[in-house]
Amino acid sequence: MMQVQLKDGSVRELPENASAMELAKQISGSLARQACAARINGELKDMTTTLTPGAQVEILTFNDEEGRDVFWHSSAHILAQAVKRVFPDAKPTIGPPIENGFFYDFADLTVTEEDFEKLEAEIQKIVQADFKPVRLEYETTDQALAVFGDNPFKKEIIEKLEEGLSAYQQGEFVDLCRGPHLPNTKMVEGFKILKTSGAYWRGDAKNPQLTRIYAISFPDRKQLRAYLHQLEEAKKRDHRILGRKLDLFSFQKEGPGMPFIHPKGMVIWNALLDFWRSLHREDDYVEIKTPAMLSCELWKTSGHWDNYRENMYTSEIEEKVFAIKPMNCPGGMLFYKENQFSYRDLPRRVAEVGNVHRHEMSGALSGMFRVRSFHQDDAHIFMKPADIKNEILGVLRLADKIYSQFDLPYHLELSTRPEKSIGADEDWELTTEGLRAALIESGREFKVNEGDGAFYGPKIDFHIRDAIGRTWQCGTIQLDMSLPMRFELEYIAEDGKPKRPIMLHRALFGSIERFFGILVEHYAGKFPLWLSPVQIRLLPVAERHHDFAAQLGKTLKAAGLRAEVDLSNESVNKKVRNAQVDQVNYILVLGDKEMEENSYMVRTRDNQVHPNIGWDQLVLCLTEESSSRASNSLLK
RNA sequence: GCCCUUAUAGCUCAGUGGUAGAGCGCAUCCUUGGUAAGGAUGAGGUCGCCGGUUCAAGCCCGGCUAAGGGCUCCA
């Protein structure tokens, strides 16, 4: 007999040479059925692994991140086995687990969605065959090459690894693999191929393109169904679909990646910017507007011409070359140089909501999330070295006000000096520590990405998490040591001598277009009142109530509310439905009763009914809800 | 940019080589209706664009344009 220790510190007695699976069985039958792999003395191993006396053992299931990775990686092998059966010429390359599921990349394979059914049928056969993956180990590179040498991708991997080579076999299928793997294939009850795409070998466009198949699997068919359901739900929030349904924006083939914002979208846009401007006024920002197009000489000075030219739209007129701005900063530099500043004038906070154009690769475009024409809520802060910490703190506070307005949780990341960078060591030290000190003083947690800063300075990024759990990099604070130098910015210091200011770029929404798209999905089109394109719709019951409704509509508009009166020749039921489908916040049906009683029944788009509300009370309540930018209805 | 997929009425989508369809929306009329779809009639399409195959192309082939998924996760 021998003893092993479990994660919780308890000790188990087992026969000599017992495997991890036998341990799991001793603990409980259900654990043994769910066990994906074991962590033995800190290393991930197969359940078949023989335990040694005194070993520390943890049994991992699908509920553990690492267990899940093993589950999905084994699923990838099953997928590859099925692909080999259906397409014998396909050459498997790699097949790792990812955040949601896994993929496998193949060379010499073309699949379409019509093949999915065939592949899934084959996968079911493999699952039902209940293969027990067996680990094979190779002593030498040559041994491994004898098995996999005809696959150039596996060959590359083998030659790179040289030792510790292993493979797993299930039935006729052998795949080079580090492991570990599931004890059997029958555990994979729910399996679904999701999509296929091209992917470059090792992620590099210079390498051959492979065919990638994405899939997901679960130990339980119910979990698969729930996951697929969740995907469907997320699809319903898709800002591209809601944007069309709610008539917020559109794209035209004449302007790929260049959104048209419709009147209802502009209501949201303007509400966002009103909010943004009010906060910036409080924080003593001034706002400017610089030209969309400027001479290429400017872009040569800023460095964009050398580094960014292929992404810039250019135009030649009267033999002079101009470029549409991909960033606002160079224009902001010219503005700074308009005046001579004293140290007393700093920090100077200059904001600009600038429309920038960047020629993104055609395949990268995606709704409002990745566009070629967008607006940055930019600001450039010019300051003395001593101002850094306070200015960063100010921006952190401002960002917090903005994100918390939308109930968007976020986290911060600090990126430090990359290998390729400009500027003196002491400048990097000064600026990076300024950022760090401000982050620490703000009391917020942050992650550090060493070497991930821009070549011209360190930065802080804001990553927000939306209602479906996805994270987005929105805000950014970037210290820039390059532009003040290139543009020879100065201020006059206390000693009367010119000094170079420190400059930072910052954006909080990031791209307004993208933030807009995120909000559409975050709220699933159900905007809070202050953002909502149509806040209230009045539905007269019959024609004799039209004048009454129009009159009330006028009162609401005069109170600053966005009201519509539905005079269409439709039934009341239909009008209510239309208003709810249009995500109108409040719906009022107006008939004889309302004309007589001056008391109203207010219905929301979610079918909440608030009875017996007086007109003045209603107007007061809605104006308060809207102007205070409340997240939830104030009606009781 | 590259790989795969898609493009038919304003929108969502059927239509596998023989003169173009549905639902919603829109228009007109009937209905004047009380809280999620009242009824009838009608208009609306060079089937994304260019070329090819064919007696005949929305459908097959090629090119272009646009859209969607992906190209970060290293056996």
Side-chain angles (χ1 to χ4, degrees), chain A residues 1-6 10-16 18 22-23 26-27 51:
Chain A
M1 292 300 271
M2 62 172 179
Q3 291 188 334
V4 297
Q5 195 175 24
L6 300 183
S10 64
V11 173
R12 290 265 169 178
E13 288 258 328
L14 285 165
E16 299 269 330
E22 285 163 71
L23 170 66
Q26 195 197 80
I27 296 169
L51 299 175

Side-chain angles (χ1 to χ4, degrees), chain A residues 222-233:
Chain A
K222 271 190 224 146
Q223 283 168 290
L224 176 65
R225 267 204 299 275
Y227 178 77
L228 295 176
H229 179 72
Q230 188 198 320
L231 282 188
E232 289 298 311
E233 287 303 302

